Structures are given as structure tokens and as C-alpha cells.
Amino acid sequence: MKQEHILIIGAGGQIGSVLTDTLRELYGDDRVVASDLHPLEGQSGPTEVLNALEGQALEAVVKKWRINQIYHLAAILSATGEKDPMRAWNVNMTSLFNVLEIARQRGLGKVYFPSSIAVFGREAAPVDTPQYEVLIPETVYGISKVAGENWANYYFRRYGVDVRSLRYPGIIGYQSMPGGGTTDYAVDIYHYAIQKKPFECFLRADTRLPMLYMPDAIRGTVELMEAPANSLSVRTSYNLAGMSFTPEEVASSIRKLMPNFKITYKPDFRQAIADSWPAAIDDSAARYDWHWHPEYDLDAMTKDMLRHLAVKYHLGELA
Ligand code: VAH
């Protein structure tokens, strides 16, 4: 019988690129089909050029590779979405509907759909934001994620499609650059620091946000997808937390290793988005249902980020 495969949509993105490598290490290079809008370079396994807005193109890839699982990681994020709200809504929702429908029609095994702490608005508890909380998002991105969570829950309850989801905080990693988010500063700051350049932050110094280091985010995603279906009580999307920090706390953490690092603050339109989000969320449902636990705190992340970026920028070992 022809082997079944896993399809990653958005495999060229910040999370998708790292998840592709991890899933190939876990399940075999040839088991994971990496797809994106543009050709992907330097791949160790099969790739496809795929626009997930085109349902027939997605169906053709699913049939060609006998896809049994889909990780749908393509979306327009919070900051970019506010520049063209209707395009963000159309891209985020049409692509999700195409994935959910193909999963229903062909009886796919599992679907992963990332949500975000962007589902919360100013009415939500700002600290220890509970799993079940008032969801009044203030970005189109957040609105599309609330709608997406409810469609995921509907396809599970109505059609039995095993859709699983995590409300990611800001994700920080050295392997890839973020694209159009409000938490992107937390990645950019390390690239400036390792190059000994001063960093201008687009958020206020005291803006506390939920964040997660990439290794934790990827491990949490795999652990959720490998958990027994009957252990999962949440079919909208699980709160997922790692740490919460402010730009000035990141700068202090960096200065423990690079004492001369300098940061200035020039808040822009993304400050209002960040102000609508909680500072720290409660992820006890994930910890109870599938034993989630983060492993990195801010200083451990800083050390790992700077160590890897020193190599990336050919700066030798971090002094
Ligand atoms: C964004 N990085 O900033 C994403 C994320 C919690 C933030 O969803 O839009």
C-alpha cells in the first residue's frame, strides 16, 4: 500500500520551517511534504508549491501524496493583517475551510490549526487568562482565530475530524524570521544584539506579553498531536504558556552576556495591539490533559539564542 504522508502548509514560515525539520527527524524525511506559496530551497524531503486558497490545488496534493495529516501554518499575522483587514480575513478563513473540508471529505487522520493569544481582547483577564474566557479580539487576525477555533470545534463535533489547536504566545527562535507579528521585536532584538547594533523597539519598555521559545513551541505541538484523542477536553484551542516578559527584561537578560547592548523605544501602531492582549495566560488545561510543560525561561532562551546566532553570523563562539 502506498505510504501515507504529512503535509505542512506554510512550511517556509517562522514556525513551519522548524516544524518541518522536526517532523522529518521524527517520522522520516520522505514522510513529510513541505509546501508554501513559493518554491522551498534546501529541503531534505518532498516539497510542493501550493496556494491553500485554491481548494482544488490542495486536493490534488492530498491525493498525489496520500496525505493523512495536515499542519496548516499559513496565515496573515496581527500587524500585517491590520494593513488589509479583508485580505487577512479571506486568506486566514478560506485556507482553513479548504483544509477542514478536504479532511472531512477524505477522512484524514489529524489536522493541526494554530491559534493565538490574539483571540483575547481588553475584556479578558490580563493575568492568568483562563482557558474559557471572553473572546473579543481587537485585530482581524484575532477575529479569524476565534472563528477558526469554533470551526475546528464544529468539524470535530459534527464530522469527527480530529482537529487540534494551540493558542501560541509570541514565538522566538534563531532558525527563522517572523513575518508581520506584534511580537516580532522579541526575535529581532537578538539579531541586533549579536551584531552589536543598538536596537529600536516598536513597543514600550514595560509591555509584558506571553512568549515561548521555539523548541518548547515545537515540542508542545508534537506532544499535542501525539496525545490520545480521548485525553483532549479542548477542541477549540488550548492556551499554551511558556514565559511572560517585557522588552526591558529581554534587554537586561541580553546584557548579562553582552553588557554593552543598547535599546531605545519608539512605540508604533503595534503598541495598541499588544495592549489589547493579556500579559500572562493560564495553560492548566494543557498541563492536565496532555502533560504540557515549558522547559525554557528567559535567560536560558537568551543564552541559546545568542549562542546559535553567533554561529549564524559567523562570529565564532559567543565571547
Ligand atoms: C503575532 N506572532 O504577533 C503572532 C502571535 C501572539 C502573537 O500570534 O501576530
Side-chain angles (χ1 to χ4, degrees), residues 54-217:
E54 295 166 12
Q56 289 182 349
L58 174 59
E59 183 175 24
V61 169
V62 169
K63 285 179 176 175
K64 174 182 174 183
W65 292 98
R66 283 180 51 76
I67 298 296
N68 186 44
Q69 287 186 31
I70 297 179
Y71 287 71
H72 178 32
L73 292 161
I76 293 180
L77 301 183
S78 59
T80 301
E82 291 307 292
K83 295 173 182 171
D84 189 344
M86 293 321 293
R87 176 170 177 268
W89 174 258
N90 176 51
V91 167
N92 293 1
M93 298 313 297
T94 302
S95 61
L96 177 62
F97 286 137
N98 286 339
V99 168
L100 293 175
E101 267 300 283
I102 201 75
R104 177 185 69 82
Q105 291 165 12
R106 300 184 60 86
L108 267 56
K110 290 178 191 170
V111 172
Y112 179 69
F113 156 69
S115 184
S116 162
I117 58 109
V119 298
F120 301 114
R122 69 186 72 188
E123 292 81 6
V127 177
D128 294 333
T129 313
Q131 175 67 49
Y132 292 107
E133 170 64 287
V134 170
L135 301 179
I136 308 178
E138 300 182 20
T139 61
V140 173
Y141 170 68
I143 295 168
S144 74
K145 290 303 183 183
V146 171
E149 289 185 4
N150 284 288
W151 278 109
N153 188 56
Y154 180 86
Y155 268 75
F156 174 71
R157 306 250 179 252
R158 171 81 187 270
Y159 303 118
V161 177
D162 189 352
V163 199
R164 305 182 186 195
S165 179
L166 296 172
R167 287 171 180 165
Y168 285 140
I171 306 291
I172 297 103
Y174 59 85
Q175 305 93 327
S176 51
M177 294 310 284
T182 301
T183 58
D184 294 2
Y185 91 86
V187 177
D188 300 341
I189 191 169
Y190 287 103
H191 288 262
Y192 277 76
I194 199 66
Q195 297 177 82
K196 296 185 171 58
K197 293 177 182 174
F199 179 67
E200 183 179 89
C201 182
F202 56 71
L203 296 181
R204 273 195 326 267
D206 64 347
T207 307
R208 185 172 300 283
L209 289 172
M211 299 280 188
L212 190 62
Y213 194 30
M214 184 70 78
D216 278 338

